[in-house]
Amino acid sequence: MAARDKTNPFATFSMWTSIQRCNALKKEYEMKHSFTYKKVIKGRFDLCLQEPFTADPEQQQLITLAELPAGTVADILFVTTSRDMDAVAELVLHLDTYFNEMKRWNNESFLSRHLKQLGIKVDGCPNIKFKLARGERSYIDSLWYYARRLRNKFRSLQKQ
């Protein structure tokens, strides 16, 4: 069996399916109103930018937020042209192919492979400061979270 990353395949399919569906709404709006956005921004829902940034409307490369090891592209934030976002959003249709080629499950590697296939160049912006809110639970939130997990575990044991 091939080595797998910690990434949950269901979460990957869900994320890229959501991106594809949101992008379809963007495309529909563009067609309905006969225009094309110059820039499209896709960010994770838990992304917290710690300072403003401005995207150059003339820049043609996909901008990503974080530098990662070679062969990977961060999926936290993209800034790119509408046409390129249309192509990037179709990654979900190629996940099985990329997995069979790589023999490992890794979002950032899939994205890198997809961009390479499309010929989309990437420009990382490591100078943008950001945090992901998912690790920012308060003490009370953490207590509630663990209490719910224990309650659910107890209920599943009772059903057995």
Side-chain angles (χ1 to χ4, degrees), residues 37-86:
Y37 288 105
K38 283 189 177 185
K39 288 291 176 204
V40 178
I41 299 172
K42 174 266 175 213
R44 283 178 37 167
F45 71 92
D46 60 348
L47 173 68
C48 291
L49 294 175
Q50 295 176 303
E51 58 188 35
F53 80 98
T54 305
D56 178 1
E58 302 307 317
Q59 173 145 6
Q60 294 300 305
Q61 292 178 316
L62 180 138
I63 297 170
T64 187
L65 197 54
E67 284 189 38
L68 294 171
T72 62
V73 175
D75 60 3
I76 297 169
L77 174 97
F78 313 139
V79 180
T80 192
T81 64
S82 182
R83 180 183 54 87
D84 282 352
M85 188 59 76
D86 292 346

Coordinates of all heavy atoms in Angstrom, one line a residue, residues 37-86:
Y37 N -14.5 39.2 -14.4 CA -13.7 39.8 -13.3 C -12.2 39.8 -13.7 O -11.7 38.8 -14.3 CB -13.8 39.0 -12.0 CG -15.2 39.1 -11.4 CD1 -16.1 38.1 -11.4 CD2 -15.5 40.2 -10.7 CE1 -17.3 38.2 -10.8 CE2 -16.7 40.4 -10.0 CZ -17.6 39.3 -10.1 OH -18.9 39.4 -9.5
K38 N -11.5 40.9 -13.4 CA -10.1 40.9 -13.6 C -9.3 40.0 -12.7 O -8.4 39.4 -13.1 CB -9.5 42.4 -13.5 CG -9.8 43.3 -14.6 CD -9.1 44.6 -14.5 CE -9.4 45.4 -15.7 NZ -8.6 46.7 -15.7
K39 N -9.7 40.0 -11.4 CA -9.1 39.2 -10.4 C -10.1 38.5 -9.6 O -11.2 39.0 -9.3 CB -8.2 40.1 -9.4 CG -7.0 40.6 -10.0 CD -6.0 39.5 -10.3 CE -4.8 40.0 -11.0 NZ -4.1 39.0 -11.7
V40 N -9.8 37.3 -9.2 CA -10.7 36.5 -8.3 C -9.9 36.0 -7.2 O -8.7 35.6 -7.3 CB -11.2 35.2 -9.1 CG1 -12.1 34.4 -8.2 CG2 -12.0 35.7 -10.3
I41 N -10.4 36.1 -6.0 CA -9.8 35.7 -4.7 C -10.5 34.6 -4.1 O -11.7 34.6 -4.0 CB -9.7 36.9 -3.7 CG1 -8.9 38.1 -4.3 CG2 -9.1 36.4 -2.4 CD1 -9.0 39.3 -3.5
K42 N -9.8 33.5 -3.8 CA -10.3 32.4 -3.1 C -9.5 32.2 -1.8 O -8.3 32.1 -1.9 CB -10.2 31.1 -4.0 CG -10.6 29.8 -3.3 CD -9.4 29.2 -2.7 CE -9.7 28.0 -1.8 NZ -8.8 27.8 -0.7
G43 N -10.2 32.3 -0.7 CA -9.6 32.1 0.6 C -10.3 31.1 1.4 O -11.5 31.0 1.3
R44 N -9.6 30.5 2.3 CA -10.2 29.6 3.2 C -11.1 30.4 4.2 O -10.8 31.5 4.5 CB -9.1 28.8 4.0 CG -8.5 27.7 3.2 CD -7.5 26.9 3.9 NE -7.7 26.7 5.3 CZ -7.0 25.8 6.1 NH1 -6.0 25.1 5.5 NH2 -7.2 25.7 7.3
F45 N -12.1 29.7 4.7 CA -13.1 30.4 5.6 C -12.4 30.8 6.9 O -12.8 31.7 7.6 CB -14.3 29.6 5.8 CG -14.1 28.4 6.7 CD1 -14.3 28.5 8.0 CD2 -13.7 27.2 6.1 CE1 -14.0 27.3 8.9 CE2 -13.4 26.1 6.9 CZ -13.6 26.2 8.3
D46 N -11.3 30.1 7.3 CA -10.7 30.4 8.6 C -9.4 31.2 8.4 O -8.6 31.3 9.3 CB -10.4 29.1 9.3 CG -9.5 28.1 8.5 OD1 -9.2 28.3 7.3 OD2 -9.0 27.1 9.1
L47 N -9.2 31.8 7.3 CA -8.1 32.6 7.0 C -8.2 34.0 7.6 O -9.3 34.7 7.4 CB -7.9 32.8 5.5 CG -6.8 33.8 5.0 CD1 -5.4 33.2 5.4 CD2 -6.9 34.0 3.5
C48 N -7.3 34.5 8.4 CA -7.2 35.8 9.0 C -6.0 36.5 8.5 O -4.9 36.2 8.9 CB -7.2 35.7 10.5 SG -8.6 35.1 11.3
L49 N -6.2 37.5 7.6 CA -5.1 38.3 7.1 C -4.8 39.3 8.2 O -5.7 39.9 8.8 CB -5.4 39.0 5.8 CG -5.6 38.1 4.6 CD1 -6.1 39.0 3.4 CD2 -4.4 37.4 4.3
Q50 N -3.5 39.4 8.6 CA -3.2 40.3 9.6 C -2.8 41.7 9.2 O -2.5 42.6 10.0 CB -2.0 39.7 10.4 CG -2.4 38.4 11.1 CD -1.3 37.8 11.8 OE1 -0.3 37.4 11.2 NE2 -1.5 37.5 13.1
E51 N -2.7 41.9 7.8 CA -2.5 43.2 7.3 C -3.1 43.2 5.9 O -3.2 42.2 5.2 CB -1.0 43.6 7.2 CG -0.2 42.6 6.4 CD 1.3 42.8 6.6 OE1 1.8 43.2 7.7 OE2 2.0 42.6 5.6
P52 N -3.5 44.4 5.4 CA -4.1 44.4 4.0 C -3.1 44.2 2.9 O -1.9 44.4 3.2 CB -4.6 45.9 3.9 CG -4.1 46.6 5.0 CD -3.5 45.7 6.0
F53 N -3.5 43.7 1.8 CA -2.6 43.6 0.7 C -3.4 43.9 -0.6 O -4.6 43.9 -0.6 CB -2.0 42.1 0.6 CG -3.0 41.1 -0.1 CD1 -2.8 40.8 -1.4 CD2 -3.9 40.5 0.7 CE1 -3.7 39.9 -2.0 CE2 -4.8 39.6 0.1 CZ -4.7 39.3 -1.2
T54 N -2.7 44.4 -1.6 CA -3.3 44.8 -2.8 C -2.8 43.9 -3.9 O -1.6 43.7 -4.1 CB -3.0 46.3 -3.1 OG1 -3.4 47.1 -2.0 CG2 -3.7 46.7 -4.4
A55 N -3.7 43.4 -4.7 CA -3.3 42.5 -5.9 C -3.2 43.4 -7.1 O -4.1 44.2 -7.4 CB -4.3 41.4 -6.1
D56 N -2.1 43.3 -7.8 CA -1.9 44.1 -9.1 C -2.9 43.5 -10.1 O -2.8 42.3 -10.5 CB -0.5 43.9 -9.5 CG -0.2 44.6 -10.9 OD1 -1.1 45.2 -11.4 OD2 1.0 44.5 -11.3
P57 N -3.8 44.3 -10.7 CA -4.8 43.8 -11.6 C -4.1 43.3 -12.9 O -4.7 42.5 -13.7 CB -5.7 45.0 -11.9 CG -5.1 46.2 -11.3 CD -4.0 45.7 -10.3
E58 N -2.9 43.8 -13.2 CA -2.3 43.3 -14.4 C -1.5 42.1 -14.3 O -1.0 41.5 -15.3 CB -1.3 44.5 -14.9 CG -2.1 45.8 -15.2 CD -3.3 45.7 -16.1 OE1 -3.2 45.0 -17.1 OE2 -4.3 46.3 -15.8
Q59 N -1.2 41.6 -13.1 CA -0.4 40.4 -12.8 C -1.2 39.2 -13.3 O -2.4 39.0 -13.0 CB -0.1 40.2 -11.4 CG 0.6 38.9 -11.1 CD 1.6 39.0 -10.0 OE1 1.7 40.0 -9.3 NE2 2.3 37.9 -9.8
Q60 N -0.5 38.4 -14.1 CA -1.2 37.2 -14.7 C -0.9 35.9 -13.9 O -1.6 34.9 -14.1 CB -0.7 37.1 -16.2 CG -1.2 38.2 -17.1 CD -2.7 38.3 -17.1 OE1 -3.4 37.4 -17.4 NE2 -3.2 39.5 -16.8
Q61 N 0.1 35.9 -13.1 CA 0.4 34.7 -12.3 C -0.6 34.5 -11.2 O -1.1 35.5 -10.6 CB 1.8 34.7 -11.8 CG 2.9 34.7 -12.9 CD 4.3 34.8 -12.3 OE1 4.5 35.6 -11.4 NE2 5.1 33.9 -12.7
L62 N -0.8 33.2 -10.8 CA -1.6 32.9 -9.7 C -0.8 33.3 -8.4 O 0.4 32.9 -8.3 CB -2.0 31.5 -9.6 CG -2.8 31.0 -8.5 CD1 -3.9 30.0 -8.9 CD2 -2.0 30.3 -7.4
I63 N -1.3 34.0 -7.5 CA -0.6 34.4 -6.3 C -1.1 33.5 -5.2 O -2.3 33.3 -5.0 CB -0.9 35.9 -5.9 CG1 -0.4 36.8 -7.0 CG2 -0.3 36.2 -4.6 CD1 -0.8 38.2 -6.8
T64 N -0.2 32.9 -4.4 CA -0.6 32.1 -3.3 C 0.0 32.6 -2.1 O 1.0 33.4 -2.1 CB -0.2 30.6 -3.6 OG1 -0.7 29.8 -2.5 CG2 1.3 30.4 -3.7
L65 N -0.5 32.3 -0.9 CA -0.1 33.0 0.3 C 1.2 32.5 1.0 O 1.9 33.2 1.6 CB -1.3 32.8 1.3 CG -1.3 33.8 2.5 CD1 -1.2 35.2 2.0 CD2 -2.5 33.5 3.3
A66 N 1.4 31.2 0.9 CA 2.5 30.7 1.7 C 3.5 29.9 0.8 O 3.1 29.2 -0.1 CB 2.0 29.8 2.8
E67 N 4.8 29.9 1.2 CA 5.8 29.1 0.5 C 5.7 27.7 1.2 O 5.7 27.6 2.4 CB 7.2 29.7 0.7 CG 7.4 30.9 -0.2 CD 8.9 31.3 -0.1 OE1 9.7 30.5 0.0 OE2 9.1 32.5 -0.1
L68 N 5.8 26.7 0.3 CA 5.8 25.3 0.8 C 7.0 24.6 0.2 O 7.6 25.1 -0.7 CB 4.5 24.6 0.4 CG 3.2 25.2 1.1 CD1 2.0 24.6 0.5 CD2 3.3 24.9 2.6
P69 N 7.2 23.4 0.6 CA 8.3 22.6 0.0 C 8.1 22.4 -1.5 O 7.0 22.5 -2.0 CB 8.2 21.2 0.7 CG 7.5 21.5 2.0 CD 6.6 22.6 1.7
A70 N 9.2 22.2 -2.2 CA 9.2 22.1 -3.6 C 8.1 21.0 -4.0 O 7.9 20.0 -3.4 CB 10.5 21.6 -4.2
G71 N 7.4 21.3 -5.1 CA 6.4 20.4 -5.6 C 5.1 20.6 -5.0 O 4.2 19.8 -5.2
T72 N 4.9 21.6 -4.2 CA 3.6 21.8 -3.5 C 3.2 23.3 -3.6 O 4.1 24.2 -3.7 CB 3.6 21.4 -2.0 OG1 4.6 22.2 -1.3 CG2 4.0 20.0 -1.8
V73 N 1.9 23.6 -3.6 CA 1.4 24.9 -3.7 C 0.3 25.1 -2.6 O -0.6 24.2 -2.5 CB 0.8 25.3 -5.0 CG1 0.1 26.6 -5.0 CG2 1.8 25.2 -6.1
A74 N 0.4 26.1 -1.8 CA -0.5 26.3 -0.7 C -1.9 26.5 -1.2 O -2.1 27.2 -2.2 CB -0.1 27.5 0.2
D75 N -2.9 25.9 -0.5 CA -4.3 26.0 -1.0 C -5.1 26.9 0.0 O -6.3 26.9 0.0 CB -5.0 24.6 -1.0 CG -5.0 23.9 0.3 OD1 -4.5 24.5 1.3 OD2 -5.4 22.8 0.4
I76 N -4.4 27.8 0.7 CA -5.0 28.7 1.7 C -5.7 29.9 1.0 O -6.8 30.3 1.3 CB -3.9 29.2 2.7 CG1 -3.4 28.0 3.5 CG2 -4.5 30.2 3.6 CD1 -2.2 28.3 4.3
L77 N -5.0 30.5 0.0 CA -5.5 31.7 -0.6 C -4.9 31.7 -2.1 O -3.8 31.4 -2.3 CB -5.0 33.0 0.1 CG -5.3 34.3 -0.6 CD1 -6.6 34.9 0.0 CD2 -4.2 35.2 -0.5
F78 N -5.8 32.0 -3.0 CA -5.4 32.2 -4.4 C -5.9 33.6 -4.8 O -7.0 34.0 -4.5 CB -6.0 31.3 -5.4 CG -6.0 29.8 -5.0 CD1 -7.1 29.0 -5.3 CD2 -4.8 29.2 -4.5 CE1 -7.1 27.7 -4.9 CE2 -4.8 27.9 -4.2 CZ -5.9 27.1 -4.4
V79 N -5.1 34.3 -5.6 CA -5.5 35.5 -6.3 C -5.1 35.3 -7.8 O -3.9 35.1 -8.0 CB -4.8 36.8 -5.8 CG1 -5.3 38.0 -6.5 CG2 -5.1 36.9 -4.3
T80 N -6.0 35.3 -8.7 CA -5.6 35.0 -10.1 C -6.7 35.6 -11.0 O -7.7 36.2 -10.5 CB -5.4 33.5 -10.3 OG1 -4.8 33.3 -11.6 CG2 -6.7 32.7 -10.2
T81 N -6.5 35.4 -12.3 CA -7.5 35.9 -13.3 C -8.7 35.0 -13.2 O -8.7 33.8 -12.7 CB -6.9 35.8 -14.7 OG1 -6.6 34.5 -15.0 CG2 -5.7 36.7 -14.8
S82 N -9.8 35.5 -13.7 CA -11.1 34.7 -13.7 C -10.9 33.4 -14.6 O -11.3 32.4 -14.2 CB -12.2 35.6 -14.3 OG -13.4 34.9 -14.3
R83 N -10.2 33.6 -15.7 CA -10.0 32.4 -16.6 C -9.2 31.3 -15.9 O -9.5 30.1 -15.9 CB -9.3 32.9 -17.9 CG -9.0 31.8 -18.9 CD -8.3 32.3 -20.1 NE -7.0 33.0 -19.7 CZ -5.9 32.3 -19.5 NH1 -5.8 31.1 -19.6 NH2 -4.8 33.1 -19.2
D84 N -8.1 31.8 -15.2 CA -7.3 30.8 -14.5 C -8.1 30.1 -13.3 O -7.9 29.0 -13.0 CB -6.0 31.4 -14.0 CG -5.0 31.5 -15.2 OD1 -5.2 31.0 -16.3 OD2 -3.9 32.2 -14.9
M85 N -8.9 30.9 -12.6 CA -9.7 30.4 -11.5 C -10.7 29.3 -12.1 O -10.9 28.3 -11.4 CB -10.4 31.5 -10.7 CG -11.1 30.9 -9.5 SD -9.9 30.1 -8.3 CE -9.2 31.6 -7.6
D86 N -11.2 29.6 -13.2 CA -12.1 28.6 -13.8 C -11.4 27.2 -14.0 O -11.9 26.2 -13.7 CB -12.6 29.0 -15.2 CG -13.5 30.2 -15.2 OD1 -14.0 30.6 -14.1 OD2 -13.7 30.9 -16.2

